[in-house]
Amino acid sequence: MTDWRARKGPIGVLTGAGISTESGIPDFRGPRGVWTEDPIAELLSTYQNYVADPELRQRAWLARRDNPAWTATPNDAHLALARLATARQVGIITQNIDRLHQRAGSDSVVEIHGNMFEVVCIDCEFTDSMAATLERVAAGEPDPACPECGGILKAATIMFGQHLDTDAIRAAVQIAETAEIFLAVGSSLQVEPAASMCAVAVDAGADLVVVNAEPTPYDEYAAEIVRDPIGVALPRLVSEILGD
C-alpha cells in the first residue's frame, strides 16, 4: 500500500483548539480547558442564554476583552501549515476563532465557527470591529447595544444553538471532497458538522491522518494516528510531505 505522504493532490486540514494551546490559548474540554475549570463559562457560548440574560452578556464582553488570542502569536504548527501551502494546494477548515492561521500566513482558511475579531447585531445587518466595541465597554457600556437598531450585539462567532453559516459549510465540504490527504489536527472530532468533514474526505478517497493527544471517534478510519505534541508533530509531517 502506498504511503499517504506520496500522494500529490490537494491537502485538506481540519484544525481544532488543540493546535492553538501552544500559543497560550486554552482548549475547552481538556483537563485544563476553559469549560472544565469554569463550567459557567460554557453558558457564555450558548445563544439562548446569551440573548436572555443581560448579566451573562456583560460577563461575555469582559471575557472577550480578556481573551488570550489578542496577544497570542502563531506557533510552529500554524507556521508549518503556512509553509506547506507555499508548495502544495492546501485548504484549512478551522473550528478556531483566533485567526492564528491567517496571522501565520495561510490564506485559504474556512472559519466554520466564525471569528472573535468582528461584532454583529442579532437583529439587523450592523457589523463592527471587536476592538471598537470593546472601547465602548471600557467607556462604561457593560452591554453595548446596536447603534443602529438597539438590538443585542455579539461576537461574529457561532454559538451553541445557532445555525452554522451555509457558505462556510459548503466551502468546508469542497475542501474535504477534493482532498487526497486530510489532516485532522488538535480536534476531539466530537463536534458536528466539523468532525464529519473527516468522513466526507475518507468517503471521497482521501487518506485521513489524525494528530491529537487523545483518541477520537475517527481514529479507526485513519491511515496514521499521531499522538505527539502538535507543535512538534505537524512540522515533522509537513517536512515528510514535502520531502525535506
Side-chain angles (χ1 to χ4, degrees):
M1 182 177 180
T2 303
D3 184 83
W4 62 267
R5 296 165 182 78
R7 303 191 71 174
K8 301 301 182 184
I11 298 171
V13 186
L14 171 67
T15 63
I19 196 173
S20 294
T21 55
E22 292 181 34
S23 292
I25 301 176
D27 61 16
F28 298 99
R29 295 181 174 84
R32 300 190 65 184
V34 174
W35 297 338
T36 305
E37 296 194 342
D38 182 10
I40 295 177
E42 189 167 358
L43 296 175
L44 303 181
S45 300
T46 304
Y47 183 75
Q48 290 78 5
N49 294 332
Y50 182 85
V51 171
D53 190 342
E55 291 186 6
L56 199 64
R57 292 198 297 275
Q58 292 178 27
R59 177 169 174 169
W61 288 111
L62 296 178
R64 292 162 183 150
R65 178 197 66 187
D66 298 335
N67 194 305
W70 289 109
T71 55
T73 56
N75 61 51
D76 288 344
H78 297 105
L79 296 171
L81 290 177
R83 184 170 79 91
L84 181 62
T86 64
R88 297 287 295 271
Q89 180 181 336
V90 178
I92 298 174
I93 307 162
T94 188
Q95 298 173 268
N96 299 336
I97 61 173
D98 53 37
R99 293 207 158 161
L100 288 178
H101 286 301
Q102 290 92 327
R103 282 186 266 173
S106 294
D107 57 11
S108 180
V109 183
V110 176
E111 295 173 317
I112 202 168
H113 292 158
N115 75 86
M116 61 164 279
F117 297 98
E118 298 170 335
V119 167
V120 298
C121 175
I122 69 170
D123 294 316
C124 74
E125 299 299 314
F126 175 79
T127 63
D128 202 355
S129 71
M130 179 62 72
T133 308
L134 289 176
E135 287 179 2
R136 294 174 58 188
V137 175
E141 295 183 69
D143 180 22
C146 175
E148 293 189 359
C149 75
I152 294 172
L153 296 180
K154 63 179 289 294
T157 56
I158 305 299
M159 306 176 90
F160 290 120
Q162 274 193 290
H163 294 296
L164 296 178
D165 182 78
T166 54
D167 290 337
I169 294 298
R170 191 177 300 114
V173 170
Q174 175 71 12
I175 289 172
E177 285 183 335
T178 57
E180 287 194 4
I181 300 170
F182 195 80
L183 308 176
V185 182
S187 174
S188 64
L189 300 180
Q190 295 180 18
V191 177
E192 299 293 355
S196 65
M197 296 302 148
C198 295
V200 171
V202 170
D203 288 346
D207 282 322
L208 172 65
V209 180
V210 174
V211 185
N212 199 59
E214 303 295 331
T216 80
Y218 287 88
D219 286 0
E220 62 181 296
Y221 306 105
E224 185 168 340
I225 300 169
V226 181
R227 302 290 188 215
D228 297 334
I230 294 169
V232 174
L234 204 52
R236 182 184 73 238
L237 292 174
V238 166
S239 290
E240 292 171 356
I241 292 170
L242 296 178
D244 293 352

